[in-house]
Amino acid sequence: MATIKIFNNDENRMETYFRREDEAMPYNTGNTLKVSEFRGSSRSDLLWTEKRAMQSWNSFRFMYGRPIRVGFAFKRPYEGGHGQQSQHYAGVAFDVGHNLNNAQRAEMRSLAYNSGVWTYVEPVSLSPTWVHFDRRRGTPACASGGYPVVRFGSIGAYVLVSQDSLSRLGYGTGGLDGVFGNATTNAVIAFQRSNGLTPDGIVGCMTWSTLMYRVTPQSACLEPID
């Protein structure tokens, strides 16, 4: 049984669901994405994503018209395996097509580009043996890419990434709820002070970079756009 937190982009609020491994993800239609597929190799009982990422999956799966095997989707930051500001840690990215040949992956990648449902589709030069697409949100805090700025009042999967990372490093946020409130602000300030950063309580470029460097395994790949 998994606890799944979803940011409802349409209503700007967090929702919580409880699902078995063989059940469909919340907001998934046609049972095309089970909890076990979204979880992938993660061992976490707590998962999160955003409604629009699920809707993008629904639309793309309908256009593709065939089952899509998911290699990797969700990961928690401390589990690593992806870039230090990976969209997988926000639960809005999918690595698929590992079971396809090059021509089939090229077809899927082209459809993903042209579908208009994904924010980013990784070029073949970065993922030659799989297809990566995601529904990332917001303007990156760093010019090189990555996560958007989150601060007091922010809601969503990126807040969960910050809360999870801070908590993992010993800076309590009062729980993982996806809502950037006073406790999360205080945790950010404490982290910033401990790491020589401006203690403004805002998770911007330098705070994201330092936080994710501290929490992700150093063996993780370093591409910030994945």
Side-chain angles (χ1 to χ4, degrees), residues 23-226:
E23 290 185 298
M25 285 288 293
Y27 293 110
N28 173 239
T29 58
N31 199 30
T32 61
L33 183 64
K34 293 182 173 60
V35 171
S36 59
E37 294 174 305
F38 179 76
R39 177 199 300 281
S41 60
S42 173
R43 297 183 178 182
S44 176
D45 291 329
L46 174 63
L47 315 173
W48 54 77
T49 183
E50 300 198 344
K51 179 180 177 180
R52 289 182 187 169
M54 294 297 100
Q55 292 173 323
S56 292
W57 172 270
N58 293 336
S59 297
F60 185 72
R61 173 63 176 76
F62 176 80
M63 286 184 276
Y64 189 65
R66 285 158 281 171
I68 299 175
R69 182 184 297 177
V70 180
F72 297 97
F74 178 81
K75 274 290 187 75
R76 293 178 76 164
Y78 63 82
E79 293 180 303
H82 300 278
Q84 289 179 358
Q85 292 190 45
S86 171
Q87 300 297 324
H88 290 283
Y89 305 146
V92 298
F94 299 88
D95 286 353
V96 301
H98 299 78
N99 59 318
L100 304 178
N101 60 39
N102 288 337
Q104 291 169 327
R105 281 192 289 269
E107 175 194 1
M108 178 182 284
R109 187 176 286 106
S110 177
L111 178 62
Y113 272 122
N114 296 323
S115 67
V117 303
W118 301 110
T119 311
Y120 174 78
V121 180
E122 202 162 68
V124 64
S125 59
L126 295 179
S127 51
T129 59
W130 70 92
V131 179
H132 170 101
F133 40 71
D134 62 59
R135 185 66 187 271
R136 62 187 64 185
R137 178 168 58 90
T139 302
C142 296
S144 59
Y147 301 148
V149 173
V150 291
R151 64 183 78 202
F152 184 84
S154 296
I155 304 174
Y158 298 103
V159 175
L160 278 162
V161 175
S162 67
Q163 290 176 330
D164 194 29
S165 301
L166 287 163
S167 298
R168 182 73 175 180
L169 295 173
Y171 301 90
T173 63
L176 306 183
D177 59 5
V179 179
F180 203 121
N182 289 324
T184 302
T185 300
N186 291 336
V188 172
I189 291 173
F191 174 80
Q192 291 170 328
R193 285 175 173 159
S194 295
N195 288 273
L197 303 168
T198 301
D200 58 7
I202 299 171
V203 186
C205 181
M206 289 303 298
T207 300
W208 268 128
S209 299
T210 306
L211 178 62
M212 300 312 291
Y213 176 80
R214 298 286 186 223
V215 78
T216 53
Q218 295 307 300
S219 60
C221 63
L222 300 178
E223 295 86 347
I225 57 176
D226 185 21

